Amino acid sequence: MEPPTTIPGAEGDIAKVSLSDFRKLRILASSIVSQPENFSLRNGHAHMYAESKPQDFNITLFDQDVRVRAIPVSYLWKYGDGTSRILSFPGGPVAERGFDEPTSTSHVYQDTGDFRVGLTTRFRGEYSTEGGPWTPIPGVANVPSEQITMSVWRTKKILVAENCNRNPDAPGCASLFDK
């Protein structure tokens, strides 16, 4: 739902920044980051997060200096497997994490393959005319990010109870390079 279009206290602003003006700014898209880079395991937790930050712009309207700020407020993830979700936070990097450990921004792929992951960041805006108070801009700007490809692989567990020196053909003993 769009915020109301009338803003208390903004009646005196000559240089009002409209939603249309706000959406014309070159707001930088968030970056999609995955750990490890663009790779996950089927039924494992693919950790992804958005790198975004507030952005400031200086414009002139009716010969007045106007500062405009774009602030990220939500993140719409499309995982490429038919699922999506909206988060109110970008997430962040996680040190020494395994595929069996969920994070607040991870996603579990049920199938193997390459999936195009998309992200749209919703920015709210506010402006200040000639150094005055910050006034909210009604509405939001939706800024899509460049997609990434997430490669999801399967794993196979093998219990090995044999010594490779005694039986070089036992599971897990053959070298990939000898073939």
Side-chain angles (χ1 to χ4, degrees):
M1 176 180 228
E2 298 283 328
T5 56
T6 54
I7 308 215
E11 304 85 20
D13 282 350
I14 296 171
K16 293 181 181 169
V17 178
S18 69
L19 180 57
S20 176
D21 294 331
F22 178 61
R23 288 179 174 166
K24 288 177 187 172
L25 296 173
R26 293 181 183 235
I27 301 172
L28 297 177
S30 300
S31 296
I32 301 173
V33 181
S34 70
Q35 288 180 297
E37 186 174 346
N38 304 350
F39 167 77
S40 188
L41 299 176
R42 182 176 61 107
N43 296 322
H45 294 273
H47 179 61
M48 293 172 269
Y49 62 94
E51 284 187 339
S52 67
K53 59 185 176 183
Q55 300 167 47
D56 291 325
F57 302 89
N58 295 312
I59 63 173
T60 302
L61 289 175
F62 301 108
D63 292 327
Q64 292 186 314
D65 292 326
V66 180
R67 286 185 58 207
V68 181
R69 185 175 295 149
I71 303 161
V73 292
S74 67
Y75 305 85
L76 170 61
W77 290 91
K78 293 187 178 182
Y79 297 106
D81 62 354
T83 62
S84 62
R85 72 175 171 166
I86 297 174
L87 298 173
S88 61
F89 55 92
V94 179
E96 299 183 33
R97 179 197 109 355
F99 293 109
D100 58 338
E101 301 171 48
T103 66
S104 60
T105 57
S106 63
H107 176 69
V108 176
Y109 287 93
Q110 303 297 317
D111 296 309
T112 60
D114 289 336
F115 300 91
R116 298 292 291 163
V117 178
L119 171 67
T120 299
T121 305
R122 177 174 276 184
F123 288 85
R124 73 173 178 83
E126 58 187 21
Y127 68 94
S128 170
T129 304
E130 297 287 336
W134 287 98
T135 302
I137 299 168
V140 294
N142 295 313
V143 181
S145 299
E146 186 174 330
Q147 293 183 339
I148 66 166
T149 300
M150 178 65 69
S151 291
V152 180
W153 300 357
R154 70 177 179 89
T155 58
K156 182 177 178 183
K157 293 181 182 177
I158 300 175
L159 297 175
V160 178
E162 295 189 45
N163 182 319
C164 291
N165 290 329
R166 283 186 240 155
N167 183 3
D169 296 322
C173 294
S175 169
L176 295 174
F177 301 106
D178 291 340
K179 294 184 181 189

